[in-house]
């Protein structure tokens, strides 16, 4: 996907602040953090939304959550609490159509569904 922002970021064609990288995922700091810890975990494979995940991608999804758990631990929020969330399409406010898992923590998070 030549035009995809997060494809460019995962390939380091655009700058970002790296948190973790391996052959399957790239994790980096969100440019507009919603909390003291706000990391985005992207698969290197282009998948537009969670709706586009196939059965063959189940190990990748599980792996993204495994990375989230480790990032939360290394960021010092694992015990106090954090959120690991995927926004899907317009009603959830998805703005970048390359699958990404937000890891958000470091402050008390409200939960209203809004
Ligand atoms: P979404 O709303 O699609 O779930 O989340 C997209 C996230 O990507 C937002 O939190 C937004 O701040 C972040 N973002 C958008 N553009 C960039 C960028 O160029 N670099 C980084 N690091 N984050 C970005
Ligand atoms: Zn992409």
């Amino acid at each position: 996907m030549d035009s995809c922002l997060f494809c460019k970021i995962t390939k380091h064609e655009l700058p970002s602040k790296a948190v973790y990288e391996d052959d399957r995922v790239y994790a980096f700091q969100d440019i507009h953090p919603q909390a003291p810890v706000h990391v985005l975990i992207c698969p290197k494979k282009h998948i537009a939304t969670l709706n586009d995940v196939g059965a063959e991608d189940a190990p990748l999804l599980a792996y993204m959550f495994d990375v989230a758990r480790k990032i939360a631990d290394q960021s010092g929020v694992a015990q106090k609490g954090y959120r690991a969330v995927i926004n899907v399409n317009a009603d959830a406010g998805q703005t970048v159509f390359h699958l990404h898992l937000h890891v958000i923590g470091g402050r008390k998070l409200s939960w209203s569904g809004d």
Side-chain angles (χ1 to χ4, degrees), residues 1 4-8 10 43-47 97-99:
M1 276 291 281
C4 173
L5 175 66
F6 283 0
C7 278
K8 288 179 180 162
T10 58
K44 291 194 170 176
K45 174 183 178 181
H46 179 85
I47 301 170
F97 288 85
H98 177 127
L99 185 69

Side-chain angles (χ1 to χ4, degrees), residues 23-76:
D23 57 331
R24 285 180 281 179
V25 300
Y26 178 53
F28 54 98
Q29 305 281 359
D30 195 291
I31 202 165
H32 292 126
Q34 302 299 311
V37 174
H38 191 166
V39 176
L40 304 174
I41 303 168
C42 281
K44 291 194 170 176
K45 174 183 178 181
H46 179 85
I47 301 170
T49 82
L50 189 61
N51 292 339
D52 302 298
V53 166
E56 70 280 8
D57 298 314
L60 177 61
L61 263 289
Y63 185 64
M64 289 167 67
F65 279 94
D66 196 47
V67 171
R69 179 180 59 77
K70 289 177 184 161
I71 288 172
D73 188 36
Q74 286 162 11
S75 304

Side-chain angles (χ1 to χ4, degrees), residues 88-111:
V88 186
N89 281 341
D91 276 5
Q94 184 176 4
T95 57
V96 179
F97 288 85
H98 177 127
L99 185 69
H100 50 281
L101 176 60
H102 295 255
V103 177
I104 302 169
R107 67 169 172 82
K108 183 84 174 165
L109 299 168
S110 61
W111 183 254

